[in-house]
Amino acid sequence: MKRLELPLGAEALAGLRAGDKVLVSGILYTARDAAHKRLAESIVKGEPLVLDLKDQAIYYVGPAPAKDGAVIGPAGPTTSGRMDAFTPMLLQNGLKIMIGKGRRSQAVRAAIKAHGAVYFAAIGGAAAIMMKSIESACVVAYEDLGTEAIRRLEVKDMPLIVAIDSAGNDYYDIGPANYLYQSTFGEDVE
């Protein structure tokens, strides 16, 4: 298990490999479908972005409302593929880390490799567990989107897996292949 502190530089990102388990701490931002659409529209129109994407991390989450004095409500990842149409454009504008769940399109995998970015997989179906790593949360843009507003989160030891590394290796392909090989031959494949 590797401990990582955001923001991560190019060298740190290049040192991560698909399948690495990590604990991430630092500042990241939330953005889902509607926020991605607005960011992309601003880029196309040449308007300034509400968030400087350079070297930032975005968590694909629309957290539930906080209860009983909690910082945030349950905050599990949403399916990343819903952001695929916008992701290459955001990567081109400096985004370096995405956090979500599920496979990414070929275009996104190529853009991750081209821009030296990384895609982390979060624990799907465990929103209450993910919520525990969030120490603070505040809306920074698109408040009218409710749960899909962009939030600034401070996280401590958020448990993630490198799903696609900066070289384009995809754990959604590698993991099952390793499992099948191990179950047949009883050893790891690199």
Side-chain angles (χ1 to χ4, degrees):
M1 181 89 55
K2 297 179 181 183
R3 287 187 183 276
L4 304 173
E5 187 72 32
L6 298 174
L8 295 175
E11 187 175 322
L13 290 173
L16 297 172
R17 296 290 169 255
D20 285 352
K21 295 177 185 130
V22 299
L23 294 172
V24 172
S25 297
I27 303 300
L28 55 87
Y29 295 87
T30 68
R32 282 188 43 156
D33 318 40
H36 273 68
K37 182 178 180 190
R38 286 191 185 174
L39 289 168
E41 288 169 349
S42 292
I43 291 169
V44 169
K45 292 177 182 176
E47 299 172 348
L49 294 177
V50 294
L51 170 67
D52 181 4
L53 293 176
K54 184 171 173 24
D55 298 330
Q56 294 300 337
I58 290 182
Y59 181 25
Y60 302 145
V61 63
K67 293 182 182 174
D68 302 326
V71 170
I72 199 166
T78 195
T79 303
S80 300
R82 298 205 312 249
M83 274 52 75
D84 280 4
F86 310 110
T87 300
M89 184 184 303
L90 298 185
L91 290 169
Q92 186 177 5
N93 280 271
L95 181 64
K96 286 298 184 193
I97 296 170
M98 298 141 297
I99 303 166
K101 69 177 181 182
R103 288 187 171 273
R104 305 308 298 268
S105 69
Q106 180 57 41
V108 169
R109 289 192 307 267
I112 287 170
K113 185 175 179 179
H115 297 287
V118 172
Y119 168 53
F120 291 114
I123 302 166
I129 291 171
M130 297 305 291
M131 172 183 80
K132 290 179 183 179
S133 65
I134 301 170
E135 295 185 330
S136 70
C138 65
V139 173
V140 296
Y142 308 144
E143 187 171 4
D144 63 302
L145 295 178
T147 60
E148 291 200 35
I150 295 178
R151 288 173 171 72
R152 180 186 184 272
L153 303 182
E154 184 174 351
V155 300
K156 174 94 171 133
D157 293 338
M158 180 177 270
L160 304 169
I161 297 171
V162 178
I164 302 175
D165 63 32
S166 62
N169 300 305
D170 189 337
Y171 193 65
Y172 286 99
D173 294 332
I174 296 166
N178 280 347
Y179 174 80
L180 291 172
Y181 188 87
Q182 288 174 26
S183 64
T184 303
F185 299 104
E187 55 187 83
D188 289 337
V189 175
E190 291 295 326

